[in-house]
Amino acid sequence: GDCDQSPNAYPGLWATANAPASYTLAACSGATTADVAASQLSALNSSTTLVSITVGGNDENFSGIVEDCNLYSDQTCVDEIQAAEDDAQANLPGKLSSLYGQIAADAPSAHVVVLDYPDFYDLNSDCVGLSQTKRTKIDEGINVLDGILSSSASAAGFSFADVRSAFSGHEICDDNRWLHSINFADISESYHPTADGHADAYY
């Protein structure tokens, strides 16, 4: 559908394995914190016992930056990521605090797990395409974002699940990668986990 949902995504795998009384996949590709607040929280109620969420990258124009890093110069890529890092540090904690507060209010009995984003590149691996400068800056941006997600989850009293170590050795350009590379025909798929990434890392 419009949200690019998949039964191979980790929440569906968890639901199949654990057979909860009810299960809702509310995730939507490209969603920002505002989108989650506007259209996904209706899935929550006082009976909800488990919530998983990954959000924040799209607040910083994730897909646009990735596309520009593939099309334009090292300097353009570095500058755009730096601007996104600065904006994230200034504004994302407040957005996450508001959203996490709404989740806690709507699902007061739920165990909430905040999952982060994997590093995209193994910087010790040879890689055709993006320069080492671009790959290093992209991973830096992810790590800044993941740090904000971690501290915001802790402040909200939520659990934090760091997927970066699970993806180690399975990043873009590794032989057995668990992330989609850039796909200009379907930019929304780019840099998202493969089915293996969902099954063997996120799940």
Side-chain angles (χ1 to χ4, degrees):
D2 291 342
C3 285
D4 291 333
Q5 293 183 346
S6 171
N8 295 317
Y10 76 87
L13 300 179
W14 186 93
T16 297
N18 292 275
S22 63
Y23 161 70
T24 300
L25 180 61
C28 195
S29 179
T32 64
T33 51
D35 294 329
V36 173
S39 61
Q40 297 182 25
L41 299 189
S42 59
L44 306 176
N45 58 58
S46 60
S47 299
T48 303
T49 56
L50 177 64
V51 175
S52 64
I53 184 168
T54 301
V55 70
N58 292 307
D59 288 76
E60 305 306 332
N61 188 31
F62 165 77
S63 61
I65 291 173
V66 166
E67 189 170 357
D68 287 352
C69 283
N70 277 270
L71 292 173
Y72 302 115
S73 68
D74 284 6
Q75 194 61 54
T76 295
C77 179
V78 167
D79 289 348
E80 287 193 18
I81 293 172
Q82 187 60 53
E85 288 179 16
D86 294 344
D87 183 80
Q89 289 170 325
N91 299 308
L92 192 55
K95 294 177 182 178
L96 291 171
S97 177
S98 175
L99 177 62
Y100 292 170
Q102 290 176 268
I103 292 172
D106 290 347
S109 301
H111 176 199
V112 182
V113 183
V114 174
L115 298 98
D116 64 354
Y117 298 88
D119 289 325
F120 291 156
Y121 293 101
D122 179 350
L123 299 178
N124 296 315
S125 177
D126 290 333
C127 194
V128 176
L130 294 186
S131 68
Q132 184 78 352
T133 296
K134 289 179 178 179
R135 298 198 306 271
T136 300
K137 191 66 175 179
I138 288 170
D139 278 3
E140 177 194 291
I142 291 167
N143 288 318
V144 168
L145 178 59
D146 286 351
I148 294 170
L149 293 178
S150 176
S151 58
S152 296
S154 178
F158 293 168
S159 296
F160 178 71
D162 191 343
V163 302
R164 285 172 288 186
S165 62
F167 275 92
S168 180
H170 300 283
E171 292 130 327
I172 295 170
C173 297
D174 287 328
D175 289 338
N176 183 22
R177 61 180 173 86
W178 292 348
L179 292 160
H180 291 285
S181 188
I182 188 73
N183 180 356
F184 288 106
D186 184 6
I187 199 70
S188 65
E189 179 186 73
S190 304
Y191 295 91
H192 283 73
T194 64
D196 286 340
H198 277 286
D200 296 328
Y202 272 96
Y203 177 46

